[in-house]
Amino acid sequence: MDREMERAKLLLAEGKYTCVVCGEGKTFTATERGVRPLLAWLNEGADLAGAAAADRVVGKAAAFLYVLLGVGAVYAPLMSEPARETLLAGGIEAVADEIVPAIRNRMGTGFCPMESA
């Protein structure tokens, strides 16, 4: 898991992707913002069981999707406390550089609608 997490974090740090999932010799990458990539992987039936994910921002909605996808660990530079709690309750390792009470919307005028939902 550590090797996959380091690879996912490295790919995320390169700045080309918004989300990277590595595991079992497979790498999934996305450039879309928000939960779109996670919803797409869920709808496609992607096998992410036990994989390591690195995502720019993880709020509560993304955390629920990671639980459904069955990943083993999630790293984010920015993660909300509800997201962290959701991941841990789902048995998923949650690592973040910064934990905040809630994710703000892109305009910075309030909370992210997905976080509030």
Side-chain angles (χ1 to χ4, degrees):
M1 175 68 71
D2 291 335
R3 187 175 42 129
E4 287 88 3
M5 179 56 79
E6 289 307 312
R7 191 162 45 104
K9 286 170 75 172
L10 195 85
L11 286 169
L12 184 72
E14 288 177 0
K16 296 178 191 173
Y17 307 110
T18 56
C19 180
V20 178
V21 180
C22 297
E24 297 293 320
K26 297 181 234 176
T27 301
F28 295 83
T29 59
T31 56
E32 300 90 2
R33 293 165 45 166
V35 297
R36 283 188 189 132
L38 305 180
L39 288 170
W41 293 332
L42 190 63
N43 289 333
E44 293 167 5
D47 181 13
L48 303 181
D55 198 328
R56 274 202 223 156
V57 177
V58 176
K60 191 172 181 179
F64 276 119
L65 292 170
Y66 279 120
V67 170
L68 289 173
L69 287 163
V71 301
V74 176
Y75 159 78
L78 181 66
M79 183 181 292
S80 73
E81 183 59 38
R84 183 179 175 278
E85 291 170 4
T86 299
L87 292 168
L88 294 175
I92 298 171
E93 180 183 356
V95 179
D97 295 335
E98 182 180 1
I99 303 281
V100 296
I103 302 300
R104 309 277 307 165
N105 64 25
R106 291 185 185 126
M107 304 279 291
T109 57
F111 296 119
C112 168
M114 295 303 288
E115 183 85 1
S116 298

